[in-house]
Amino acid sequence: MHRLDLNRLPRHVSIIMDGNGRWANLRLANRVFGHNEGANSVREVVKCCLELGIPYLTLYAFSKENWQRPESEVTALWHLLRRFLKSEFADLVSRRIRVRHLGDPDDIPMEVLNELRHVVEATADFDRLVLSLAINYGGRQEILRAARKYAGDVLAGRAESDALSQEEFSRYLFTTDLPDPDLIIRTGGEYRVSNFLLWQLAYAELYITATLWPDFREPQFHEALAEFQRRERRFGKTSDQLRTVSFT
Ligand code: FPP
């Protein structure tokens, strides 16, 4: 904690929570055991964001591609997500955390979707922390859906066909009104983005750690933030330009 400059924290942190299965395998346990322990890492990272005043946290909880896993694991993941939403509800409300859903509601099991909608609606007015859960989410699917919606608006005369800016297109994405992520953390050591926030991560800093998600707790989160603070974010400019700007 002491190594962090509280004035230079990322505003929006997004996390690809990978490594639950390997964590369980190392303990000769079922993969679901790893997902359950992963939920404790979620609780801890949320707590850290509240303590540090990081206002946006986005978690990749279930991808479009995760449907291809064995049915028993998919069922267990839905069960875990529903249980999490139910068990955390009171805490989310008392800590004034707003929950948002990023992803396609179609195909999400009805009992999970109902719970998700309930939490999203009940927390809609909170703004201490915006916790976005990417569930049944895919980045390419999100961009396609946005393009279709925009085309629909053009056809209906609600949008101009030749006046689409980046800002305007962003409004068609699930992440409407969310700032782009400043920092994307991937646990589990793989060097890929796995169809996560493809449009939004254009200028995000990537932090990849071999730590498996269930082992990713406060010290590991703080280390990721410290590494973020060692980076120079140039947004296409040169280091000299940035130094000039900071002296003026
Ligand atoms: C990837 O690990 C993780 C997932 C597909 C699920 C993420 C879900 C959780 C962490 C559960 C809790 C989440 C919330 C929001 C309560 P993996 O199974 O691919 O691990 P592996 O690469 O070691 O096989």
Side-chain angles (χ1 to χ4, degrees):
M1 179 91 168
H2 59 276
R3 289 178 301 131
L4 293 176
D5 177 349
L6 297 181
N7 295 314
R8 287 182 48 241
L9 288 167
R11 219 172 137 218
H12 184 175
V13 177
S14 297
I15 309 184
I16 302 174
M17 309 179 288
D18 198 15
N20 296 344
R22 278 166 284 165
W23 186 91
N25 285 343
L26 286 169
R27 286 155 184 81
L28 306 178
N30 188 291
R31 296 172 55 83
V32 175
F33 181 54
H35 296 313
N36 281 324
E37 193 53 32
N40 289 327
S41 294
V42 169
R43 291 184 185 92
E44 185 142 332
V45 168
V46 167
K47 185 197 75 163
C48 291
C49 287
L50 290 172
E51 283 170 1
L52 293 166
I54 293 173
Y56 297 94
L57 173 66
T58 298
L59 302 174
Y60 204 4
F62 192 96
S63 72
K64 282 275 186 188
E65 289 73 27
N66 284 151
W67 287 105
Q68 296 165 50
R69 293 187 173 209
E71 200 185 325
S72 59
E73 185 172 339
V74 170
T75 305
L77 276 169
W78 288 125
H79 188 72
L80 170 61
L81 283 168
R82 182 171 176 226
R83 202 154 30 96
F84 179 88
L85 292 166
K86 267 169 117 61
S87 66
E88 300 308 302
F89 181 72
D91 259 12
L92 291 165
V93 170
S94 71
R95 293 188 291 176
R96 305 189 62 74
I97 296 173
R98 176 178 181 187
V99 175
R100 281 184 61 158
H101 173 220
L102 311 181
D104 184 356
D106 298 344
D107 312 326
I108 296 182
M110 194 47 76
E111 59 282 8
V112 182
L113 190 60
N114 286 341
E115 202 62 47
L116 187 57
R117 286 195 165 137
H118 170 60
V119 175
V120 166
E121 281 164 23
T123 62
D125 291 334
F126 298 153
D127 59 2
R128 188 164 161 225
L129 168 66
V130 178
L131 173 62
S132 301
L133 300 177
I135 297 176
N136 200 25
Y137 174 88
R140 283 190 169 183
Q141 291 88 341
E142 177 187 38
I143 293 169
L144 264 184
R145 174 183 171 275
R148 288 198 193 103
K149 279 172 79 108
Y150 172 69
D153 278 357
V154 170
L155 284 176
R158 288 188 295 266
E160 301 262 348
S161 65
D162 56 354
L164 184 61
S165 65
Q166 293 184 30
E167 290 70 28
E168 216 160 298
F169 187 69
S170 297
R171 284 200 279 277
Y172 287 86
L173 299 168
F174 291 123
T175 46
T176 311
D177 298 332
L178 285 180
D180 285 345
D182 303 294
L183 171 64
I184 299 219
I185 297 172
R186 179 169 189 142
T187 61
E190 310 279 6
Y191 284 74
R192 50 177 174 260
V193 291
S194 298
N195 206 13
F196 189 42
L197 301 177
L198 297 183
W199 171 275
Q200 299 86 341
L201 60 68
Y203 286 102
E205 294 295 325
L206 303 180
Y207 176 84
I208 294 168
T209 171
T211 302
L212 304 173
W213 177 248
D215 289 328
F216 193 87
R217 300 293 163 97
E218 182 168 321
Q220 291 75 20
F221 187 52
H222 282 190
E223 180 48 44
L225 297 173
E227 168 62 24
F228 172 82
Q229 297 191 333
R230 288 191 285 271
R231 304 268 178 96
E232 180 184 65
R233 303 187 77 198
R234 290 197 291 275
F235 299 100
K237 296 181 179 171
T238 67
S239 293
D240 286 345
Q241 282 177 306
L242 292 178
R243 274 193 287 276
T244 311
V245 168
S246 62
F247 288 138
T248 54

